[in-house]
Amino acid sequence: MPDQLPYADMSAVFSRFRDSEPEPKGELDHVNAYTLLVAVALSAQATDKGVNRATADLFPIADTPQKMLALGEEGLIAHIKTIGLYRNKARNVIRMAEILVNDYGGEVPSSRAALESLPGVGRKTANVVLNMWWGMPAQAVDTHIFRLGNRSGIAVGRDVVAVERAIEDNVPAEFQRHAHHWMILHGRYICKARKPVCANCIISDLCRFEEKTL
């Protein structure tokens, strides 16, 4: 595991990310806070593209917790059965909708603790919603960020919580809001698990990964 990059290198890394993509966007389709929450919950152990295909017909008819309850669990399953673990996810989405209607007036809460109390919502999902919808500098660490952070020295940690803390502690404040999006996209398309595309990497000279590909 490499050492954590020093502040000057961290600033250079994220300056390059920002120059390359000033306003990075998540790749899950959504129309409001609720559909974003559902999409992120559905994306566990699934691809964003697969979720987007499933929700293309779902969200036009179920874009609020009330409409999702009216659709029902079996109706939801009909839309998401191409997604892994669809039965368990459908059960969680319906239970989540019930709680949102009964306890939050049908609105998605803007508190991490409240979000994490919902069925099927963990820390990563909560952080994605807080970041993407409310613009909070929350860091959602997925497999791409965990890999990139540890390979490169951007955010070194033995588990996702440690990597999240490393991002919060070491990424300069001006880059905090978009940090996890830049890292996800770089990990997904450049710093891949099996064959990283180091030749196309804009931070290769700063990265601490010893097994760079030519």
Side-chain angles (χ1 to χ4, degrees), residues 1-41:
M1 186 177 293
D3 294 332
Q4 178 70 45
L5 289 178
Y7 182 86
D9 286 355
M10 292 287 284
S11 184
V13 163
F14 283 93
S15 291
R16 294 181 193 179
F17 284 159
R18 182 175 60 187
D19 290 344
S20 177
E21 187 71 48
E23 292 289 334
K25 304 295 183 184
E27 296 184 327
L28 286 170
D29 295 337
H30 61 282
V31 296
N32 55 26
Y34 176 66
T35 54
L36 174 61
L37 176 61
V38 171
V40 180

Side-chain angles (χ1 to χ4, degrees), residues 190-208:
I190 301 296
C191 196
K192 301 178 183 180
R194 294 184 180 179
K195 294 183 179 180
V197 193
C198 299
N200 294 341
C201 177
I202 61 175
I203 63 167
S204 60
D205 59 316
L206 300 170
C207 170
R208 299 292 178 84

Side-chain angles (χ1 to χ4, degrees), residues 157-180:
R158 296 193 178 277
D159 55 45
V160 294
V161 175
V163 170
E164 179 182 333
R165 181 62 56 82
I167 297 172
E168 293 173 343
D169 290 348
N170 296 293
V171 174
E174 65 182 298
F175 304 115
Q176 284 280 333
R177 181 180 174 187
H178 294 312
H180 95 271

Side-chain angles (χ1 to χ4, degrees), residues 25-52 54-55 58-59 68 80 83-85 89 92-93 96 108 115 118-134 139-142 180-181 184 188:
K25 304 295 183 184
E27 296 184 327
L28 286 170
D29 295 337
H30 61 282
V31 296
N32 55 26
Y34 176 66
T35 54
L36 174 61
L37 176 61
V38 171
V40 180
L42 293 176
S43 71
Q45 300 182 48
T47 66
D48 288 358
K49 290 181 179 179
V51 173
N52 289 340
T55 59
L58 172 64
F59 288 159
M68 191 66 76
I80 68 169
I83 299 175
L85 307 175
K89 290 178 180 179
N92 283 336
V93 168
M96 179 200 304
V108 176
L115 287 168
L118 298 171
V121 178
R123 188 177 182 87
K124 186 186 80 170
T125 295
N127 281 347
V128 171
V129 175
L130 292 173
N131 180 275
M132 289 183 63
W133 194 257
W134 283 286
Q139 308 302 333
V141 178
D142 68 353
H180 95 271
H181 269 131
I184 285 173
R188 181 175 292 165

